[in-house]
Amino acid sequence: IENFKVYAGEARKEQYMFERFLESMGVIDNDKIKSQLDFQKKYSGFTFMNGLYRLHKFDEIDKWTKIVERAFPGIKGDIEVFAFDWMGRQFAISKSTKQVLMIEPGTGEVFEIPADFRNFHDTEIADYSEDALSADFFAEWYASEFGQDIPDNQCLGYKQPLFTEGEDSMENLELQDLTSYWQRMTDLMKKEIF
């Protein structure tokens, strides 16, 4: 049974938090999520679309926030990391702007996404997965690997990061431990003096 509300004489299906995101990721969830915290707890450590996007385990958020702040000291104290994608990019909420940040170790850059946590999931990922997650590039890799999922705590990281003249190509990516990849990129960024 679907939930409907009546608005000025017309019936419309009621949308619950993260419903559009979950549908776009092929997840059927009959629980109606009421808050960001409920979503993060329920899907703690969950992998979506064969490794395209993952929420951090709830008890690892502080650990990953510190790892990201070490690499990008300019955002230290202003972020809370919540997820990562197949390329090892971390997603965080800026405490000052309430906007989502995409933190890219392979380019040494931080990008602000014009959306809060909910709209990042229900709009940016649901409607613009290519822009938000490089979904087409992931699909190309996934097909070339005959449907191999990216294992937990791993990513396809750059062998040579873009900030050291590496190419943004499939040939420059390799499966890596996520923590090791971030440590290597942090060390290289410090040598490059960003």
Side-chain angles (χ1 to χ4, degrees), residues 12-147:
R12 286 190 271 171
K13 185 175 182 241
E14 185 176 356
Q15 289 283 309
Y16 290 95
M17 292 184 87
F18 309 107
E19 185 174 10
R20 294 190 67 243
F21 166 75
L22 292 170
E23 286 174 2
S24 74
M25 292 287 137
V27 176
I28 298 170
D29 186 347
N30 293 324
D31 293 339
K32 304 308 175 195
I33 297 170
K34 306 249 191 281
S35 72
Q36 175 182 331
L37 184 60
D38 288 346
F39 176 76
Q40 285 183 278
K41 285 184 177 178
K42 178 168 185 169
Y43 290 100
S44 171
F46 198 86
T47 299
F48 297 95
M49 300 291 286
N50 310 100
L52 174 67
Y53 181 73
R54 290 190 167 119
L55 287 178
H56 279 295
K57 292 179 181 170
F58 200 70
D59 61 355
E60 291 187 356
I61 288 173
D62 287 340
K63 168 191 154 186
W64 276 100
T65 297
K66 288 175 184 166
I67 289 170
V68 170
E69 288 176 337
R70 195 173 313 121
F72 293 88
I75 56 175
K76 186 175 183 176
D78 185 48
I79 63 165
E80 182 176 276
V81 173
F82 60 84
F84 65 101
D85 73 1
W86 68 286
M87 293 181 73
R89 297 176 293 200
Q90 299 290 321
F91 295 92
I93 288 290
S94 165
K95 294 175 187 175
S96 60
T97 67
K98 308 297 184 224
Q99 301 295 295
V100 171
L101 302 176
M102 179 175 68
I103 303 130
E104 167 59 273
T107 64
E109 297 177 297
V110 176
F111 302 95
E112 184 173 275
I113 298 170
D116 62 12
F117 186 90
R118 179 183 181 181
N119 287 321
F120 173 67
H121 289 88
D122 278 342
T123 302
E124 299 302 318
I125 292 178
D127 295 338
Y128 308 106
S129 62
E130 174 56 25
D131 294 333
L133 303 173
S134 302
D136 292 344
F137 200 22
F138 174 79
E140 179 185 338
W141 173 82
Y142 191 73
S144 74
E145 295 297 316
F146 307 103

Side-chain angles (χ1 to χ4, degrees), residues 137 140 157-160 167-174:
F137 200 22
E140 179 185 338
Y158 290 109
K159 298 173 196 174
Q160 181 180 358
E167 290 185 27
D168 194 10
S169 67
M170 198 64 66
E171 294 75 31
N172 191 29
L173 295 174
E174 67 182 350

